[in-house]
Amino acid sequence: MPPHGQNVITAVPVAPPPPKDFILWSLFNFVLCNPFCLGFCALSYSIKSRDRIIAQDFVGASSYARSAKVLNIVALCLGVLVTILSIVLVILYLPLYIVQP
């Protein structure tokens, strides 16, 4: 019991939150934006990250999550770039293939 007038503070350690695994973003890139199979690689790293989170290895999980994030960014940028480029090319070259009567 502490002396009168003194407070005792007990510190309870709080576990850090687990790192994100980016599984939904990877699944989106795998299904819709998969240039050079980057979406598949990101999905595999996300699954590895989730496995490491379940095994309580947060250092390994954050490493795999970082790789998945980079691959997702590259896949999404390339997918958007290819989509925009395809639309522009169709708009530019479609009038050349329409036969005028």
Side-chain angles (χ1 to χ4, degrees):
M1 187 100 186
H4 183 66
Q6 292 182 353
N7 294 330
V8 176
I9 298 174
T10 305
V12 177
V14 178
K20 294 182 179 179
D21 57 3
F22 304 107
I23 194 86
L24 291 177
W25 190 11
S26 300
L27 191 60
F28 170 80
N29 282 336
F30 176 65
V31 173
L32 298 176
C33 299
N34 199 10
F36 307 114
C37 294
L38 291 175
F40 176 72
C41 294
L43 183 63
S44 66
Y45 276 106
S46 294
I47 292 170
K48 287 180 181 182
S49 174
R50 182 163 283 190
D51 289 343
R52 294 287 91 206
I53 290 172
I54 291 172
Q56 298 293 318
D57 178 18
F58 294 139
V59 174
S62 64
S63 173
Y64 283 127
R66 229 181 353 263
S67 299
K69 182 179 178 181
V70 169
L71 288 171
N72 278 322
I73 290 170
V74 172
L76 186 64
C77 290
L78 285 176
V80 168
L81 183 70
V82 167
T83 302
I84 291 173
L85 188 64
S86 299
I87 291 171
V88 168
L89 288 176
V90 166
I91 290 173
L92 288 177
Y93 288 110
L94 188 63
L96 297 177
Y97 293 105
I98 296 177
V99 179
Q100 299 290 331

